[in-house]
Amino acid sequence: MIAPGTRTGQYTLGTDTLVTDSNGQSRISMEDFAVAMLDEAETPKHLQQAFTVGYQ
């Protein structure tokens, strides 16, 4: 789930496995999702690969 929230600057990247928290929820704020996308654009770590992002 991507929803409005707080920018924490902390998130976890994954590859082809969904990133979930201890309750099995996959979630991230829109603000942290935007930061993750910009970080990937500025410093690519997943060239021609899918990746996931969320809180753990």
Side-chain angles (χ1 to χ4, degrees):
M1 176 184 346
I2 301 173
T6 303
R7 178 179 171 190
T8 66
Q10 298 178 359
Y11 54 84
T12 301
L13 295 175
T15 53
D16 57 354
T17 303
L18 194 62
V19 177
T20 59
D21 63 16
S22 60
N23 294 322
Q25 298 283 327
S26 177
R27 62 182 186 81
I28 191 161
S29 70
M30 290 187 323
E31 294 80 358
D32 280 334
F33 183 78
V35 169
M37 295 301 106
L38 290 172
D39 286 348
E40 181 67 23
E42 291 176 348
T43 308
K45 296 179 182 170
H46 302 91
L47 296 174
Q48 297 183 4
Q49 295 177 329
F51 66 97
T52 58
V53 61
Y55 299 129
Q56 219 171 15

